Amino acid sequence: MQSESARMSSAAEARFRIDAPNSKPRSVKVIALDEPSERIVKELSQRTWNRAAFFTASSFGGTPKQGESFSGWLSDLAGRTKNLIEEVNSADLVVMVAAAGENAQAASIIGEACSLKRVTTTALVLGGPSISDEALSKTLSHLRPWALMLVIATAEDYIADMLTALRA
Amino acid sequence: MLRKEQNDLLCQTGPGTPMGRMFRASWQPALLAEELPENECPPVRVKLLGERLLAWRDTDGNYALTDEFCAHRGVSLWFGRNEHGGLRCPYHGWKYDHTGQCTEVPSEPSESGYCQKIKLKSYPLVERGGVLWTYMGPPEQQPPLPEWEFAMVPASHSFMSKRLQESNWLQAMEGGIDSSHVSFLHSGELNSDPLFKGSKGNQYNMNDMKPVFEVVESPGGLYIGARRNAENGNYYWRVTQYVMPAFTMIPPRADHPVHGHFWVPIDDENCWAWSFDYKVTRPLSDKERKAMEAGQGIHVAYVPGTYIPTANKTNDYLVDRKAQKEGRTFSGVFGIAMQDASLQESMGPIVDRTKENLVSTDNGIIMARHRLLRALKTMENGDMPPGIVAAHQHVRSAAVVLPPDKHFKDAAKEALVVQTGKEHVTV
């Protein structure tokens, strides 16, 4: 007689797996940290997503001053200022997008907000093979303290693939 | 998640499939050299990429990998007589040489030359590093022989095993690049397995259960860096190598041999998990070799006379619930290889990836799929996939401690490629 493991892992048994949703859509907030990334994020926002929302922090370079509010550090793609804390608070995952060589200082304020609210962060750095190690290192140094997962991708379409894979 | 058509695309490797073409573009491990130990030894059935083949070795020592079945009536040549420079079908005496060319059809007058019109499909079979490698792609595109470092060191420095895994190749391979499971599933083995224990890196592993990951594209595939806290604000990095389509290399631990895998499709529901261990500058010690032969480290003990693991699905992987409760093994299954295989086989022969819920730490897996799909797309335009050229094969995994401002890809640049005469960089 076959063992239970042998029987239950067969292709024939796979058809008895419960065919019902096993998750609820997650809220994913995608934030461009610089102008080149903002262009890509704008393109992404035109597609259909479950619960992904797209923002930019590109106009908020530099680091916040001591005691400065978190509230004004984000805008939607139409340019309306959004409350960073509120957006982070309603997120399951925050994805920061940066172009290699660009200033990604806004990562610190977004990362701090995520840390405060215990929201997972992923950072995506886009850069082709022509980007110098130095330029890449500069961008990474801003992102590394604040990202639980950091991906350096050469192809822009990785972001869409990643968001799809995460059911965003 | 993947859409069904994407999952099918990556999981199907039979003749004529896109993913099958990618596997057929490079040399694949087909058998261990020990399986054909001498001239005129018994032939061995081989199923690879959904093709039924027969491996054998003729009177002059030529290796052969030919269609398993006689061109006459379709009987298996596994029953053939390996004699005088060829393999003779025992049914009506048709004989083939190591290239698959028929050399005798006894019922036909030899002057008719009929046998010249019969040729079995065959593939090259070449020994390197204790492995018999085959190339199953178009002959005019045959690349140079593989140059993976483990296959280039002296035989005394390396050990290779293979085991049957009853799942699609992709779910096995994805386990090889899924660094986040190690601190859970294999936690017992880090401190007990003779081929793992005693490394300072293990302490970093166990002291920091929430590693931070960095996934970086490499020319042949990916570097997957797992970062943990070390002393003085430094980071302990473990960098796994993935080279497309199916090579993975685990970061080293102390002076232990370095190990890794090939995940080679047998068909769409089974694969061979090839497992290698090697050192560059010294032979493996007797103790290390005996441990590997006994199935420790990433190897397994076999059902005698087979390459089927002793702990397998027919005996519920010898799961030990008491050991699980006592914390000696996290899943109740013993041994790193079968801890992985038991779970990957439990997904079913081909997991339905439309149902999965990946999280941020799965980006290594997401990127590997992305790169495979991207490579398939470029192959449509006639490009060759990554992983074929020697430079893509001259790679190493590494374990390093770096200052916090250093990117592992730059700071450990030399550690991630083969350095002739030097060992892996390890902690």
Side-chain angles (χ1 to χ4, degrees):
Chain A
M1 186 173 157
Q2 271 194 321
S3 75
E4 191 163 277
S5 292
R7 201 154 37 85
M8 289 306 174
S9 59
S10 67
E13 280 295 324
R15 68 195 166 97
F16 296 111
R17 292 195 180 190
I18 291 171
D19 187 17
N22 59 11
S23 63
K24 291 178 183 164
R26 280 175 290 184
S27 170
V28 180
K29 308 285 170 95
V30 183
I31 305 173
L33 299 183
D34 49 57
E35 283 181 15
S37 306
E38 190 176 315
R39 176 188 59 77
I40 295 162
V41 167
K42 273 184 178 161
E43 283 172 18
L44 275 177
S45 71
Q46 303 302 309
R47 303 191 192 187
T48 305
W49 301 100
N50 291 319
R51 282 191 63 198
F54 299 87
F55 303 90
T56 179
S58 69
S59 56
F60 304 108
T63 47
K65 296 178 187 73
Q66 187 74 27
E68 197 169 359
S69 161
F70 280 112
S71 59
W73 283 78
L74 200 65
S75 62
D76 65 16
L77 297 176
R80 290 180 294 252
T81 301
K82 305 299 269 188
N83 186 313
L84 174 61
I85 288 288
E86 277 177 18
E87 293 300 336
V88 167
N89 211 14
S90 60
D92 297 303
L93 171 69
V94 167
V95 178
M96 295 183 273
V97 185
E102 294 289 326
N103 186 343
Q105 280 189 334
S108 65
I109 188 78
I110 295 163
E112 201 170 329
C114 291
S115 177
L116 203 66
K117 295 291 175 185
R118 310 289 297 158
V119 172
T120 303
T121 52
T122 291
L124 273 173
V125 183
L126 295 166
S130 59
I131 296 293
S132 73
D133 289 346
E134 198 182 344
L136 183 59
S137 288
K138 188 179 123 195
T139 309
L140 288 176
S141 67
H142 293 302
L143 293 168
R144 187 168 282 137
W146 303 107
L148 178 71
M149 166 59 80
L150 209 157
V151 182
I152 302 166
T154 57
E156 288 179 11
D157 61 358
Y158 180 69
I159 310 179
D161 277 5
M162 185 194 77
L163 293 175
T164 304
L166 296 175
R167 298 179 179 277
Chain B
M1 63 157 281
L2 278 180
R3 294 194 306 274
K4 185 183 181 306
E5 60 272 22
Q6 290 175 314
N7 201 31
D8 290 347
L9 194 60
L10 294 179
C11 291
Q12 295 171 359
T13 59
T17 59
M19 200 61 224
R21 275 199 289 278
M22 190 186 293
F23 272 99
R24 284 169 176 80
S26 56
W27 290 88
Q28 299 297 331
L31 301 95
L32 287 162
E34 69 184 23
E35 294 179 75
L36 295 176
E38 59 192 17
N39 299 352
E40 295 187 358
C41 59
V44 177
R45 287 190 180 102
V46 176
K47 183 153 63 151
L48 216 50
L49 304 174
E51 296 187 46
R52 292 275 298 271
L53 302 160
L54 195 71
W56 49 285
R57 188 168 165 181
D58 74 8
T59 315
D60 300 321
N62 296 306
Y63 288 111
L65 187 62
T66 56
D67 185 343
E68 182 189 334
F69 301 98
C70 181
H72 179 207
R73 299 284 307 282
V75 306
S76 174
L77 291 167
W78 183 79
F79 293 97
R81 294 172 60 87
N82 193 347
E83 57 179 25
H84 312 303
L87 192 68
R88 190 183 294 280
C89 179
Y91 209 3
H92 303 93
W94 290 31
K95 191 175 181 185
Y96 302 91
D97 72 12
H98 72 280
T99 69
Q101 179 62 53
C102 184
T103 55
E104 280 182 48
V105 177
S107 60
E108 296 290 311
S110 58
E111 305 80 49
S112 73
Y114 177 68
C115 67
Q116 288 302 313
K117 294 181 177 169
I118 304 292
K119 188 171 191 301
L120 299 177
K121 178 75 184 166
S122 75
Y123 299 111
L125 193 63
V126 178
E127 195 276 334
R128 180 165 273 193
V131 174
L132 298 177
W133 302 82
T134 188
Y135 167 76
M136 296 168 68
E140 66 279 9
Q141 290 174 5
Q142 182 175 315
L145 287 173
E147 293 192 17
W148 306 101
E149 190 176 36
F150 75 87
M152 306 302 279
V153 297
S156 57
H157 292 36
S158 71
F159 180 86
M160 177 62 113
S161 70
K162 70 174 194 181
R163 66 171 165 81
L164 176 69
Q165 176 153 341
E166 295 177 65
S167 78
N168 181 264
W169 77 278
L170 187 63
Q171 63 211 58
M173 187 283 282
E174 288 180 346
I177 56 174
D178 174 10
S179 303
S180 63
H181 78 281
V182 176
S183 300
F184 291 92
L185 183 60
H186 305 314
S187 52
E189 272 63 20
L190 290 186
N191 291 324
S192 63
D193 191 289
L195 296 164
F196 280 75
K197 69 180 181 183
S199 129
K200 179 143 194 221
N202 291 353
Q203 290 171 24
Y204 296 132
N205 258 84
M206 298 315 293
N207 290 342
D208 186 353
M209 299 290 276
K210 284 200 165 179
V212 174
F213 293 97
E214 291 193 19
V215 177
V216 184
E217 292 185 52
S218 69
L222 298 180
Y223 308 113
I224 300 159
R227 189 186 87 198
R228 291 177 171 85
N229 293 320
E231 302 87 355
N232 306 319
N234 291 326
Y235 291 139
Y236 169 62
W237 286 95
R238 293 183 59 74
V239 186
T240 300
Q241 286 272 5
Y242 166 55
V243 179
M244 289 189 272
F247 172 89
T248 55
M249 195 177 201
I250 302 163
R253 293 181 190 276
D255 186 44
H256 291 306
V258 181
H259 33 244
H261 301 279
F262 283 91
W263 313 95
V264 181
I266 294 171
D267 52 33
D268 293 344
E269 298 190 352
N270 298 278
C271 65
W272 287 117
W274 288 84
S275 306
F276 63 79
D277 258 289
Y278 72 103
K279 291 296 288 180
V280 178
T281 60
R282 68 163 173 86
L284 301 181
S285 68
D286 285 348
K287 201 175 160 194
E288 287 168 340
R289 194 171 287 279
K290 277 186 182 140
M292 292 166 196
E293 286 167 353
Q296 291 183 296
I298 60 167
H299 307 280
V300 295
Y302 297 123
V303 172
T306 73
Y307 293 99
I308 297 169
T310 306
N312 60 59
K313 63 160 67 170
T314 67
N315 54 25
D316 287 325
Y317 306 95
L318 305 174
V319 67
D320 183 339
R321 297 295 185 187
K322 189 164 175 277
Q324 184 180 31
K325 204 157 243 179
E326 291 170 357
R328 285 182 283 131
T329 155
F330 199 74
S331 73
V333 173
F334 283 98
I336 285 166
M338 293 320 295
Q339 285 164 355
D340 285 326
S342 56
L343 301 187
Q344 291 156 6
E345 291 181 356
S346 78
M347 297 168 169
I350 303 177
V351 68
D352 179 358
R353 290 183 173 81
T354 65
K355 297 251 170 66
E356 67 187 4
N357 287 282
L358 298 184
V359 292
S360 187
T361 49
D362 292 317
N363 258 285
I365 289 170
I366 298 170
M367 178 62 99
R369 295 174 187 174
H370 167 83
R371 287 220 60 186
L372 286 167
L373 290 167
R374 209 165 85 201
L376 290 176
K377 212 170 259 180
T378 62
M379 285 175 70
E380 285 173 12
N381 303 326
D383 290 354
M384 296 305 283
I388 297 171
V389 298
H392 293 180
Q393 299 171 3
H394 293 171
V395 293
R396 284 183 174 179
S397 55
V400 288
V401 173
L402 295 173
D405 59 333
K406 296 290 180 196
H407 178 35
F408 74 78
K409 182 171 164 271
D410 308 322
K413 195 179 270 182
E414 289 192 354
L416 295 173
V417 294
V418 169
Q419 302 286 323
T420 309
K422 285 188 187 168
E423 285 293 355
H424 283 64
V425 176
T426 179
V427 176

